[in-house]
Amino acid sequence: MSMLTGFREKSFLDKISVLNEVATVKDPAELEALIELFQNPLGDTSVDYMVVTALNGVLSVDEQKTVDLLGKEDGKLRTLCIRVCGEFQFKDAVPVLLGMAEGSSDPDFLFEVLTSLSKIGGPEALDLFRSNINNEDDLIVVMSIEMLAELKDEESIPALKAFVERNNEDANYEVCDLTTWKAVEALAAIGSDAGLDFIVANLHHRNPTVRRVVTDSLTSLGGMAVPFLTKVISPDSDKDDMILAANVLGFIGEKDGLDVLMDAIEKQYSTDSSVKYAIYEAIGRIGTLKAVVSLFDGLEDEDELITVAVMTGLDGLANPGVTKKMVELIGAGGSKAGKILRAIVTAKAVNVFQGLYSEGKIGRFLMNAVVASKDSEVHEAFRVKLAEIGGEEAEADIARLPEAVEVGGKKALAVDDSKSMLALYRSILTAAGYEPTVAENGQEAYTHIELNEEFDVIITDMNMPVMDGMEFVSKLRQTDGYADIPVIMVTTESEYSQQELARKTGVNDFITKPFTADQLKSKIAEYVS
């Protein structure tokens, strides 16, 4: 006898108990009774939900019956069976589902079928996904793009490229639509030479979100992306492309990329400070002993930001050889020695500090520079290192470090994906009397906003992973209480074309790399009295 005999007359608890047992046993003999209950529900939400659960369970063990039911005219039952076929990857359903999709003009129904086919997988539905890549319904387009990526369909590359190109046109570049986002990710997933060359060519796409997706996609490819990125590190390349390519090579961290970056320094592919900074920072991120020679070359540069980037890289490579060279450079005295000492403190290069600490006058000069800093975070970093070094002299120097530093009562938020840049911001802001808060991307910065932290000024980079500067500012301006906080965006000279778009998101003003500490202080002073 069926467990569902006399079901409608049973009490609520008995109904739930019976349906739980049917869902557990999954006896195909209960299918017809379940279908009747599904097509003629009792009107009790809890019971009717359990009927669906039990029906799903029974259908899951009977592939042929589920496929047969796809032909039923009952739309509700047919939709349930479509979903079951996808959830349990019923291969026999593929031909039927393909036929249903080809004869449908209903976007909701088509989406159900495509979703099921995407879960079942396999190349049989490839033509269907190709034919829907330009469907009028964006959800169907996105589903199709995702499946073409999964199936690594090289024939779809021209259509995928078209999405990115359209989003770069005058009428479309201000907003990155979801289809463009997915098209970039699909081109990366397919991984063909044509697709990857195209992605790299769009490193500096006009839309900042597309740039971020391009950067993230290339970074996720790892070593596979290196040969394509290295083509951009050349004397003939666009400045912005070189900067972004160097950034990605640094994030990837492959030694093949290091060779190209070191070559760019040795052969002076660019004299632009922003390009050199990006390359030195990338070399430091990759962080192999082979990089030390190039990093020391960077200490010859007059740009203080480059010195901080180099010191950040050298700190991860500190060894007796590095210490010996640093002693030589600092011992020569002059403005270069002062610049290096300041960079060690700004970058919180505690490992370099440890090597130099016992070097007589050099160690004393360096300790004086640490004490002179107005950044309590710098003091704490070196306090920990001094405790690790130990000894009477270290204890005496710990006592020289103030427990707290008085600031001017103003607060600033600085957002940048570069650690050396953030270190420089902390140094400049504390010297200007601000209590600094730093974040490595827009999303991290926005967590401070969600905590209702108050700031007198915000400084943000334009191009960052996870959440770029424009997306962060746009989100900031839509948050209660943050409409009037001055926002200064840091750009490169060639990003002037993006400034109008940035102003629309809520940016108040811009400062162009490279800049000096005094220039940044002056810019802030225009907005904060």
Side-chain angles (χ1 to χ4, degrees), residues 277-322:
Y277 167 74
I279 292 175
Y280 278 120
E281 184 167 61
I283 289 172
R285 273 197 178 117
I286 295 172
T288 68
L289 290 175
K290 186 178 180 180
V292 170
V293 174
S294 286
L295 290 172
F296 271 115
D297 287 343
L299 294 179
E300 301 296 325
D301 199 285
E302 294 299 319
D303 190 320
E304 201 143 341
L305 177 57
I306 289 177
T307 309
V308 174
V310 167
M311 201 56 62
T312 301
L314 285 173
D315 195 53
L317 301 167
N319 60 40
V322 169

Side-chain angles (χ1 to χ4, degrees), residues 167-425:
N167 209 159
N168 212 19
E169 294 171 354
D170 289 346
N172 304 319
Y173 80 94
E174 292 190 5
V175 177
C176 170
D177 55 66
L178 185 58
T179 53
T180 301
W181 186 315
K182 291 297 179 180
V184 172
E185 292 182 338
L187 287 165
I190 293 169
S192 70
D193 287 1
L196 295 183
D197 273 330
F198 177 78
I199 294 177
V200 170
N202 280 274
L203 272 166
H204 206 258
H205 191 282
R206 292 170 75 187
N207 181 273
T209 304
V210 177
R211 290 201 296 272
R212 174 168 59 80
V213 177
V214 167
T215 298
D216 290 348
S217 296
L218 290 168
T219 302
S220 67
L221 286 173
M224 185 178 175
V226 170
F228 300 91
L229 289 161
T230 56
K231 297 176 187 178
V232 183
I233 309 295
S234 77
D236 303 321
S237 289
D238 176 80
K239 166 187 165 180
D240 291 309
D241 287 344
M242 282 187 73
I243 290 171
L244 291 169
N247 288 342
V248 178
L249 286 171
F251 289 135
I252 291 173
E254 290 281 330
K255 292 181 180 179
D256 289 347
L258 175 63
D259 292 337
V260 175
L261 293 166
M262 291 176 64
D263 209 35
I265 292 296
E266 183 181 344
K267 296 179 180 178
Q268 296 185 334
Y269 286 174
S270 176
T271 58
D272 183 270
S273 290
S274 296
V275 175
K276 289 193 291 181
Y277 167 74
I279 292 175
Y280 278 120
E281 184 167 61
I283 289 172
R285 273 197 178 117
I286 295 172
T288 68
L289 290 175
K290 186 178 180 180
V292 170
V293 174
S294 286
L295 290 172
F296 271 115
D297 287 343
L299 294 179
E300 301 296 325
D301 199 285
E302 294 299 319
D303 190 320
E304 201 143 341
L305 177 57
I306 289 177
T307 309
V308 174
V310 167
M311 201 56 62
T312 301
L314 285 173
D315 195 53
L317 301 167
N319 60 40
V322 169
T323 299
K324 182 179 179 181
K325 182 66 176 177
M326 294 292 288
V327 169
E328 178 187 325
L329 291 172
I330 298 171
S335 61
K336 184 191 297 181
K339 182 164 65 78
I340 291 172
L341 290 171
R342 288 193 300 274
I344 293 171
V345 177
T346 299
K348 298 195 290 290
V350 292
N351 297 317
V352 172
F353 170 85
Q354 183 172 7
L356 295 173
Y357 184 69
S358 60
E359 294 292 335
K361 288 184 178 179
I362 291 175
R364 292 299 88 203
F365 287 144
L366 183 51
M367 191 62 222
N368 289 340
V370 172
V371 174
S373 171
K374 294 184 178 180
D375 188 346
S376 58
E377 190 173 288
V378 165
H379 293 156
E380 181 58 26
F382 287 99
R383 184 181 288 109
V384 170
K385 179 54 69 174
L386 285 165
E388 183 183 318
I389 292 170
E392 291 183 6
E393 187 173 35
E395 288 180 9
D397 283 333
I398 289 174
R400 294 176 62 196
L401 294 173
E403 291 293 333
V405 179
E406 290 294 328
V407 293
K410 294 174 288 188
K411 296 183 68 175
L413 172 63
V415 194
D416 202 296
D417 60 318
S418 162
K419 289 185 178 179
S420 52
M421 198 76 206
L422 290 178
L424 190 66
Y425 283 138

